[in-house]
Amino acid sequence: MNNRTINAFGSLSPGGRRNFTDTLRAENAGAILLAIGTVLALIWANSPWRDSYTDLSNTVVGPASLHLNLSIADWATDGLLTIFFFVVGLELKREFVTGQLRNPATAAVPIVAAVGGMITPAAVYTLVNLAHGGPSMGGWAIPVATDIAFAVAVLTLFGRSLPVALRAFLLTLAVVDDLLGIVVIAVLYADGLAFGWLGAALLMIGVLAGLTRRHVTAWILVPLAVLAWAFMHLSGVHATIAGVLIGFTVPALARDGEDRSVAERWEHRWRPVSAGLAVPVFALFAAGVSLSPDALATTLTEPAAQGVILGLVAGKPLGIMLATFALVTLTRAALDQRVTWLDLLAVAAVSGIGFTVALLIGELSFAPGTPQSEPVKAGILIGSLASAVIGGLLLTWRSRAHERRRRASSRGTAGRQPGERRGAA
């Protein structure tokens, strides 16, 4: 019988480290732009020109004959955000083929942690709403997702001295989180399925899959991808799912004579469009909520907003910690020797930053104009900000602890005599 202990935080391959550092750089820039879009939305929506914000958001553009007469806010949600989900699909494909998720032993802990980090906030949301008579049960999925851009940015800013394995853990957990969030959107928010259009969308995606394997120029594929998106929109499945599926079809292994796979090249090419345009514009039209005292008072008394805030701030880290503890206790999985449970708690707190996907699920759960719509958006902002502050403080504390430990270890090593050093070795 093999009694070898499974290392829950396996080290990254050279290619994985390169992709990981590239992701950190891109996500930091994306987080800054996302924050700018959010702040602009809040300022505009609370300024004397708030009516112009509402009018622009509700302006309808597109051909009604094709059922594409959408408001600008809907174009940002259903259209531009598809680019974000396309990049997520590319990232997921790469992780499953060449990254952490290809190894079941290494991926087990972040996968289980991600599942726990989705079940618990959903349960917290449900309990809060049941305590108020269950008026807004349809929003249970809102606090389940982690925003990769913000979470990684906070970790990078405040956790500089933490082990790299812990950073890889958060990235893998967030990727799995996104995948599960996509499944939730695809399954629970399909509206009046039209199987003919769905079949046309899947057929078009299949054509794209075949063409990407035949060295077809990427820009020739764009019109076909737009058609796949339109067919998915007409099918009743949320149109952003087309972006994920297209991303999954892209080859993630380098072909003969190539130093990088098509998925890696396309992710490198499209990530700036996602981080620099799609997500900030989505935030501009999704995050514009009133911050007046009356609106904030309504937010804090609305069961749906309460469930979202508690789900993000408390449910998310609690679920991650409980799931990880159960796996480590009941199996041969083990934390990396350099990682403590307090380190994991700091990262779990950061995972409560749910923004992009949370706002999307919030809009799908509560249509604009419903009593819950604005309070839920405000709840996502409050819960995400609170998680960022709590996580930042915990990361700073743990980072300083690791830095002190390293300095003490360096002083101890420097103070030994050469003979002692050799004997210790």
Side-chain angles (χ1 to χ4, degrees), residues 4-34:
R4 180 174 60 86
T5 298
I6 299 172
N7 188 345
F9 296 86
S11 59
L12 295 174
S13 64
R17 284 196 296 272
R18 183 179 65 253
N19 290 332
F20 180 65
T21 53
D22 288 344
T23 299
L24 288 179
R25 286 194 293 269
E27 297 296 353
N28 286 340
I32 293 171
L33 294 172
L34 178 55

PDB file of all heavy atoms in Angstrom, residues 4-34:
ATOM      1  N   ARG A   4       2.351   7.312   0.734  1.00  0.00           N
ATOM      2  CA  ARG A   4       2.961   8.612   0.443  1.00  0.00           C
ATOM      3  C   ARG A   4       1.952   9.723   0.674  1.00  0.00           C
ATOM      4  O   ARG A   4       0.816   9.669   0.225  1.00  0.00           O
ATOM      5  CB  ARG A   4       3.444   8.629  -1.008  1.00  0.00           C
ATOM      6  CG  ARG A   4       4.104   9.930  -1.408  1.00  0.00           C
ATOM      7  CD  ARG A   4       4.677   9.810  -2.809  1.00  0.00           C
ATOM      8  NE  ARG A   4       3.635   9.515  -3.767  1.00  0.00           N
ATOM      9  CZ  ARG A   4       2.886  10.441  -4.373  1.00  0.00           C
ATOM     10  NH1 ARG A   4       3.070  11.724  -4.081  1.00  0.00           N
ATOM     11  NH2 ARG A   4       1.968  10.092  -5.259  1.00  0.00           N
ATOM     12  N   THR A   5       2.386  10.780   1.375  1.00  0.00           N
ATOM     13  CA  THR A   5       1.518  11.924   1.641  1.00  0.00           C
ATOM     14  C   THR A   5       1.393  12.780   0.390  1.00  0.00           C
ATOM     15  O   THR A   5       2.368  13.066  -0.284  1.00  0.00           O
ATOM     16  CB  THR A   5       2.101  12.787   2.784  1.00  0.00           C
ATOM     17  OG1 THR A   5       2.155  11.983   3.958  1.00  0.00           O
ATOM     18  CG2 THR A   5       1.227  14.003   3.038  1.00  0.00           C
ATOM     19  N   ILE A   6       0.179  13.186   0.078  1.00  0.00           N
ATOM     20  CA  ILE A   6      -0.081  14.052  -1.074  1.00  0.00           C
ATOM     21  C   ILE A   6       0.190  15.487  -0.673  1.00  0.00           C
ATOM     22  O   ILE A   6      -0.323  15.975   0.328  1.00  0.00           O
ATOM     23  CB  ILE A   6      -1.544  13.909  -1.539  1.00  0.00           C
ATOM     24  CG1 ILE A   6      -1.822  12.464  -1.953  1.00  0.00           C
ATOM     25  CG2 ILE A   6      -1.842  14.866  -2.688  1.00  0.00           C
ATOM     26  CD1 ILE A   6      -3.275  12.193  -2.247  1.00  0.00           C
ATOM     27  N   ASN A   7       1.017  16.174  -1.420  1.00  0.00           N
ATOM     28  CA  ASN A   7       1.285  17.592  -1.173  1.00  0.00           C
ATOM     29  C   ASN A   7       0.167  18.413  -1.796  1.00  0.00           C
ATOM     30  O   ASN A   7      -0.007  18.448  -3.009  1.00  0.00           O
ATOM     31  CB  ASN A   7       2.634  17.995  -1.784  1.00  0.00           C
ATOM     32  CG  ASN A   7       3.028  19.402  -1.378  1.00  0.00           C
ATOM     33  OD1 ASN A   7       2.217  20.174  -0.885  1.00  0.00           O
ATOM     34  ND2 ASN A   7       4.291  19.719  -1.588  1.00  0.00           N
ATOM     35  N   ALA A   8      -0.626  19.066  -0.950  1.00  0.00           N
ATOM     36  CA  ALA A   8      -1.798  19.790  -1.431  1.00  0.00           C
ATOM     37  C   ALA A   8      -1.432  21.039  -2.212  1.00  0.00           C
ATOM     38  O   ALA A   8      -2.237  21.572  -2.949  1.00  0.00           O
ATOM     39  CB  ALA A   8      -2.692  20.171  -0.249  1.00  0.00           C
ATOM     40  N   PHE A   9      -0.211  21.533  -2.041  1.00  0.00           N
ATOM     41  CA  PHE A   9       0.217  22.767  -2.699  1.00  0.00           C
ATOM     42  C   PHE A   9       1.442  22.469  -3.551  1.00  0.00           C
ATOM     43  O   PHE A   9       2.551  22.885  -3.248  1.00  0.00           O
ATOM     44  CB  PHE A   9       0.547  23.850  -1.673  1.00  0.00           C
ATOM     45  CG  PHE A   9      -0.638  24.287  -0.867  1.00  0.00           C
ATOM     46  CD1 PHE A   9      -1.014  23.622   0.277  1.00  0.00           C
ATOM     47  CD2 PHE A   9      -1.384  25.374  -1.272  1.00  0.00           C
ATOM     48  CE1 PHE A   9      -2.101  24.037   1.015  1.00  0.00           C
ATOM     49  CE2 PHE A   9      -2.474  25.808  -0.545  1.00  0.00           C
ATOM     50  CZ  PHE A   9      -2.836  25.129   0.600  1.00  0.00           C
ATOM     51  N   GLY A  10       1.259  21.680  -4.609  1.00  0.00           N
ATOM     52  CA  GLY A  10       2.385  21.296  -5.444  1.00  0.00           C
ATOM     53  C   GLY A  10       3.017  22.489  -6.133  1.00  0.00           C
ATOM     54  O   GLY A  10       2.370  23.488  -6.427  1.00  0.00           O
ATOM     55  N   SER A  11       4.328  22.378  -6.376  1.00  0.00           N
ATOM     56  CA  SER A  11       5.035  23.480  -7.030  1.00  0.00           C
ATOM     57  C   SER A  11       4.651  23.546  -8.498  1.00  0.00           C
ATOM     58  O   SER A  11       4.271  22.549  -9.116  1.00  0.00           O
ATOM     59  CB  SER A  11       6.548  23.282  -6.899  1.00  0.00           C
ATOM     60  OG  SER A  11       6.927  22.055  -7.493  1.00  0.00           O
ATOM     61  N   LEU A  12       4.744  24.740  -9.071  1.00  0.00           N
ATOM     62  CA  LEU A  12       4.370  24.957 -10.463  1.00  0.00           C
ATOM     63  C   LEU A  12       5.521  24.572 -11.388  1.00  0.00           C
ATOM     64  O   LEU A  12       6.686  24.689 -11.032  1.00  0.00           O
ATOM     65  CB  LEU A  12       4.011  26.426 -10.684  1.00  0.00           C
ATOM     66  CG  LEU A  12       2.776  26.940  -9.957  1.00  0.00           C
ATOM     67  CD1 LEU A  12       2.669  28.441 -10.170  1.00  0.00           C
ATOM     68  CD2 LEU A  12       1.523  26.255 -10.425  1.00  0.00           C
ATOM     69  N   SER A  13       5.159  24.116 -12.584  1.00  0.00           N
ATOM     70  CA  SER A  13       6.158  23.845 -13.607  1.00  0.00           C
ATOM     71  C   SER A  13       6.710  25.171 -14.113  1.00  0.00           C
ATOM     72  O   SER A  13       6.126  26.234 -13.870  1.00  0.00           O
ATOM     73  CB  SER A  13       5.505  23.081 -14.759  1.00  0.00           C
ATOM     74  OG  SER A  13       4.521  23.894 -15.375  1.00  0.00           O
ATOM     75  N   PRO A  14       7.876  25.164 -14.822  1.00  0.00           N
ATOM     76  CA  PRO A  14       8.402  26.433 -15.368  1.00  0.00           C
ATOM     77  C   PRO A  14       7.382  27.169 -16.220  1.00  0.00           C
ATOM     78  O   PRO A  14       7.225  28.380 -16.103  1.00  0.00           O
ATOM     79  CB  PRO A  14       9.618  25.970 -16.185  1.00  0.00           C
ATOM     80  CG  PRO A  14      10.063  24.716 -15.506  1.00  0.00           C
ATOM     81  CD  PRO A  14       8.809  24.043 -15.031  1.00  0.00           C
ATOM     82  N   GLY A  15       6.656  26.423 -17.091  1.00  0.00           N
ATOM     83  CA  GLY A  15       5.624  27.075 -17.888  1.00  0.00           C
ATOM     84  C   GLY A  15       4.496  27.604 -17.032  1.00  0.00           C
ATOM     85  O   GLY A  15       3.955  28.682 -17.286  1.00  0.00           O
ATOM     86  N   GLY A  16       4.145  26.834 -15.996  1.00  0.00           N
ATOM     87  CA  GLY A  16       3.094  27.292 -15.097  1.00  0.00           C
ATOM     88  C   GLY A  16       3.491  28.535 -14.330  1.00  0.00           C
ATOM     89  O   GLY A  16       2.672  29.430 -14.111  1.00  0.00           O
ATOM     90  N   ARG A  17       4.789  28.586 -13.922  1.00  0.00           N
ATOM     91  CA  ARG A  17       5.251  29.789 -13.212  1.00  0.00           C
ATOM     92  C   ARG A  17       5.205  31.005 -14.138  1.00  0.00           C
ATOM     93  O   ARG A  17       4.843  32.106 -13.714  1.00  0.00           O
ATOM     94  CB  ARG A  17       6.673  29.565 -12.687  1.00  0.00           C
ATOM     95  CG  ARG A  17       6.750  28.675 -11.451  1.00  0.00           C
ATOM     96  CD  ARG A  17       8.100  28.810 -10.773  1.00  0.00           C
ATOM     97  NE  ARG A  17       9.184  28.344 -11.617  1.00  0.00           N
ATOM     98  CZ  ARG A  17       9.611  27.088 -11.650  1.00  0.00           C
ATOM     99  NH1 ARG A  17       9.026  26.172 -10.904  1.00  0.00           N
ATOM    100  NH2 ARG A  17      10.612  26.738 -12.429  1.00  0.00           N
ATOM    101  N   ARG A  18       5.583  30.790 -15.409  1.00  0.00           N
ATOM    102  CA  ARG A  18       5.540  31.908 -16.354  1.00  0.00           C
ATOM    103  C   ARG A  18       4.112  32.379 -16.562  1.00  0.00           C
ATOM    104  O   ARG A  18       3.834  33.577 -16.522  1.00  0.00           O
ATOM    105  CB  ARG A  18       6.149  31.466 -17.691  1.00  0.00           C
ATOM    106  CG  ARG A  18       6.221  32.600 -18.718  1.00  0.00           C
ATOM    107  CD  ARG A  18       6.853  32.162 -20.025  1.00  0.00           C
ATOM    108  NE  ARG A  18       6.058  31.165 -20.726  1.00  0.00           N
ATOM    109  CZ  ARG A  18       6.371  29.881 -20.833  1.00  0.00           C
ATOM    110  NH1 ARG A  18       7.486  29.426 -20.295  1.00  0.00           N
ATOM    111  NH2 ARG A  18       5.589  29.032 -21.478  1.00  0.00           N
ATOM    112  N   ASN A  19       3.204  31.429 -16.736  1.00  0.00           N
ATOM    113  CA  ASN A  19       1.800  31.802 -16.909  1.00  0.00           C
ATOM    114  C   ASN A  19       1.244  32.465 -15.655  1.00  0.00           C
ATOM    115  O   ASN A  19       0.446  33.396 -15.729  1.00  0.00           O
ATOM    116  CB  ASN A  19       0.969  30.552 -17.248  1.00  0.00           C
ATOM    117  CG  ASN A  19       1.282  30.026 -18.628  1.00  0.00           C
ATOM    118  OD1 ASN A  19       1.677  30.781 -19.508  1.00  0.00           O
ATOM    119  ND2 ASN A  19       1.104  28.725 -18.829  1.00  0.00           N
ATOM    120  N   PHE A  20       1.696  31.956 -14.497  1.00  0.00           N
ATOM    121  CA  PHE A  20       1.201  32.504 -13.233  1.00  0.00           C
ATOM    122  C   PHE A  20       1.646  33.950 -13.046  1.00  0.00           C
ATOM    123  O   PHE A  20       0.848  34.823 -12.692  1.00  0.00           O
ATOM    124  CB  PHE A  20       1.699  31.632 -12.079  1.00  0.00           C
ATOM    125  CG  PHE A  20       1.253  32.082 -10.721  1.00  0.00           C
ATOM    126  CD1 PHE A  20      -0.095  32.062 -10.387  1.00  0.00           C
ATOM    127  CD2 PHE A  20       2.163  32.526  -9.793  1.00  0.00           C
ATOM    128  CE1 PHE A  20      -0.509  32.478  -9.138  1.00  0.00           C
ATOM    129  CE2 PHE A  20       1.751  32.947  -8.552  1.00  0.00           C
ATOM    130  CZ  PHE A  20       0.420  32.921  -8.218  1.00  0.00           C
ATOM    131  N   THR A  21       2.923  34.222 -13.297  1.00  0.00           N
ATOM    132  CA  THR A  21       3.397  35.598 -13.137  1.00  0.00           C
ATOM    133  C   THR A  21       2.778  36.517 -14.179  1.00  0.00           C
ATOM    134  O   THR A  21       2.456  37.674 -13.884  1.00  0.00           O
ATOM    135  CB  THR A  21       4.937  35.655 -13.249  1.00  0.00           C
ATOM    136  OG1 THR A  21       5.354  35.029 -14.475  1.00  0.00           O
ATOM    137  CG2 THR A  21       5.586  34.942 -12.073  1.00  0.00           C
ATOM    138  N   ASP A  22       2.578  36.003 -15.399  1.00  0.00           N
ATOM    139  CA  ASP A  22       1.891  36.799 -16.421  1.00  0.00           C
ATOM    140  C   ASP A  22       0.473  37.132 -15.966  1.00  0.00           C
ATOM    141  O   ASP A  22      -0.007  38.251 -16.156  1.00  0.00           O
ATOM    142  CB  ASP A  22       1.854  36.052 -17.750  1.00  0.00           C
ATOM    143  CG  ASP A  22       3.221  35.998 -18.428  1.00  0.00           C
ATOM    144  OD1 ASP A  22       4.109  36.783 -18.036  1.00  0.00           O
ATOM    145  OD2 ASP A  22       3.393  35.166 -19.341  1.00  0.00           O
ATOM    146  N   THR A  23      -0.184  36.141 -15.383  1.00  0.00           N
ATOM    147  CA  THR A  23      -1.549  36.364 -14.903  1.00  0.00           C
ATOM    148  C   THR A  23      -1.569  37.402 -13.797  1.00  0.00           C
ATOM    149  O   THR A  23      -2.440  38.277 -13.768  1.00  0.00           O
ATOM    150  CB  THR A  23      -2.154  35.048 -14.398  1.00  0.00           C
ATOM    151  OG1 THR A  23      -2.197  34.111 -15.484  1.00  0.00           O
ATOM    152  CG2 THR A  23      -3.573  35.262 -13.874  1.00  0.00           C
ATOM    153  N   LEU A  24      -0.609  37.325 -12.881  1.00  0.00           N
ATOM    154  CA  LEU A  24      -0.558  38.306 -11.795  1.00  0.00           C
ATOM    155  C   LEU A  24      -0.428  39.722 -12.343  1.00  0.00           C
ATOM    156  O   LEU A  24      -1.121  40.639 -11.901  1.00  0.00           O
ATOM    157  CB  LEU A  24       0.619  38.004 -10.855  1.00  0.00           C
ATOM    158  CG  LEU A  24       0.485  36.788  -9.943  1.00  0.00           C
ATOM    159  CD1 LEU A  24       1.738  36.616  -9.113  1.00  0.00           C
ATOM    160  CD2 LEU A  24      -0.724  36.937  -9.042  1.00  0.00           C
ATOM    161  N   ARG A  25       0.445  39.889 -13.308  1.00  0.00           N
ATOM    162  CA  ARG A  25       0.630  41.238 -13.873  1.00  0.00           C
ATOM    163  C   ARG A  25      -0.639  41.712 -14.563  1.00  0.00           C
ATOM    164  O   ARG A  25      -1.078  42.837 -14.376  1.00  0.00           O
ATOM    165  CB  ARG A  25       1.806  41.227 -14.856  1.00  0.00           C
ATOM    166  CG  ARG A  25       3.168  41.158 -14.175  1.00  0.00           C
ATOM    167  CD  ARG A  25       4.269  41.487 -15.159  1.00  0.00           C
ATOM    168  NE  ARG A  25       4.379  40.467 -16.192  1.00  0.00           N
ATOM    169  CZ  ARG A  25       5.165  39.405 -16.100  1.00  0.00           C
ATOM    170  NH1 ARG A  25       5.911  39.232 -15.032  1.00  0.00           N
ATOM    171  NH2 ARG A  25       5.223  38.516 -17.079  1.00  0.00           N
ATOM    172  N   ALA A  26      -1.236  40.852 -15.356  1.00  0.00           N
ATOM    173  CA  ALA A  26      -2.436  41.263 -16.091  1.00  0.00           C
ATOM    174  C   ALA A  26      -3.589  41.536 -15.144  1.00  0.00           C
ATOM    175  O   ALA A  26      -4.325  42.505 -15.317  1.00  0.00           O
ATOM    176  CB  ALA A  26      -2.810  40.178 -17.100  1.00  0.00           C
ATOM    177  N   GLU A  27      -3.761  40.678 -14.142  1.00  0.00           N
ATOM    178  CA  GLU A  27      -4.891  40.854 -13.243  1.00  0.00           C
ATOM    179  C   GLU A  27      -4.734  42.107 -12.385  1.00  0.00           C
ATOM    180  O   GLU A  27      -5.726  42.741 -12.038  1.00  0.00           O
ATOM    181  CB  GLU A  27      -5.053  39.609 -12.344  1.00  0.00           C
ATOM    182  CG  GLU A  27      -5.368  38.332 -13.102  1.00  0.00           C
ATOM    183  CD  GLU A  27      -6.705  38.380 -13.823  1.00  0.00           C
ATOM    184  OE1 GLU A  27      -7.451  39.350 -13.634  1.00  0.00           O
ATOM    185  OE2 GLU A  27      -6.974  37.457 -14.597  1.00  0.00           O
ATOM    186  N   ASN A  28      -3.508  42.465 -12.022  1.00  0.00           N
ATOM    187  CA  ASN A  28      -3.323  43.704 -11.267  1.00  0.00           C
ATOM    188  C   ASN A  28      -3.790  44.898 -12.075  1.00  0.00           C
ATOM    189  O   ASN A  28      -4.501  45.768 -11.577  1.00  0.00           O
ATOM    190  CB  ASN A  28      -1.846  43.866 -10.889  1.00  0.00           C
ATOM    191  CG  ASN A  28      -1.433  42.918  -9.784  1.00  0.00           C
ATOM    192  OD1 ASN A  28      -2.280  42.407  -9.062  1.00  0.00           O
ATOM    193  ND2 ASN A  28      -0.156  42.673  -9.655  1.00  0.00           N
ATOM    194  N   ALA A  29      -3.368  44.954 -13.341  1.00  0.00           N
ATOM    195  CA  ALA A  29      -3.798  46.048 -14.202  1.00  0.00           C
ATOM    196  C   ALA A  29      -5.307  46.011 -14.388  1.00  0.00           C
ATOM    197  O   ALA A  29      -5.979  47.050 -14.353  1.00  0.00           O
ATOM    198  CB  ALA A  29      -3.084  45.962 -15.550  1.00  0.00           C
ATOM    199  N   GLY A  30      -5.853  44.816 -14.591  1.00  0.00           N
ATOM    200  CA  GLY A  30      -7.291  44.687 -14.756  1.00  0.00           C
ATOM    201  C   GLY A  30      -8.058  45.117 -13.523  1.00  0.00           C
ATOM    202  O   GLY A  30      -9.126  45.732 -13.629  1.00  0.00           O
ATOM    203  N   ALA A  31      -7.522  44.791 -12.343  1.00  0.00           N
ATOM    204  CA  ALA A  31      -8.194  45.180 -11.098  1.00  0.00           C
ATOM    205  C   ALA A  31      -8.246  46.692 -10.952  1.00  0.00           C
ATOM    206  O   ALA A  31      -9.253  47.254 -10.497  1.00  0.00           O
ATOM    207  CB  ALA A  31      -7.473  44.559  -9.901  1.00  0.00           C
ATOM    208  N   ILE A  32      -7.163  47.360 -11.339  1.00  0.00           N
ATOM    209  CA  ILE A  32      -7.140  48.827 -11.254  1.00  0.00           C
ATOM    210  C   ILE A  32      -8.186  49.430 -12.187  1.00  0.00           C
ATOM    211  O   ILE A  32      -8.959  50.322 -11.798  1.00  0.00           O
ATOM    212  CB  ILE A  32      -5.738  49.361 -11.593  1.00  0.00           C
ATOM    213  CG1 ILE A  32      -4.732  48.931 -10.521  1.00  0.00           C
ATOM    214  CG2 ILE A  32      -5.751  50.880 -11.721  1.00  0.00           C
ATOM    215  CD1 ILE A  32      -3.295  49.229 -10.869  1.00  0.00           C
ATOM    216  N   LEU A  33      -8.249  48.936 -13.427  1.00  0.00           N
ATOM    217  CA  LEU A  33      -9.231  49.450 -14.381  1.00  0.00           C
ATOM    218  C   LEU A  33     -10.651  49.116 -13.951  1.00  0.00           C
ATOM    219  O   LEU A  33     -11.578  49.928 -14.133  1.00  0.00           O
ATOM    220  CB  LEU A  33      -8.945  48.880 -15.767  1.00  0.00           C
ATOM    221  CG  LEU A  33      -7.626  49.336 -16.399  1.00  0.00           C
ATOM    222  CD1 LEU A  33      -7.357  48.566 -17.683  1.00  0.00           C
ATOM    223  CD2 LEU A  33      -7.655  50.828 -16.682  1.00  0.00           C
ATOM    224  N   LEU A  34     -10.833  47.925 -13.381  1.00  0.00           N
ATOM    225  CA  LEU A  34     -12.148  47.540 -12.873  1.00  0.00           C
ATOM    226  C   LEU A  34     -12.576  48.468 -11.739  1.00  0.00           C
ATOM    227  O   LEU A  34     -13.739  48.900 -11.669  1.00  0.00           O
ATOM    228  CB  LEU A  34     -12.104  46.089 -12.395  1.00  0.00           C
ATOM    229  CG  LEU A  34     -13.375  45.496 -11.786  1.00  0.00           C
ATOM    230  CD1 LEU A  34     -14.553  45.633 -12.739  1.00  0.00           C
ATOM    231  CD2 LEU A  34     -13.148  44.039 -11.431  1.00  0.00           C
TER     232      LEU A  34
END
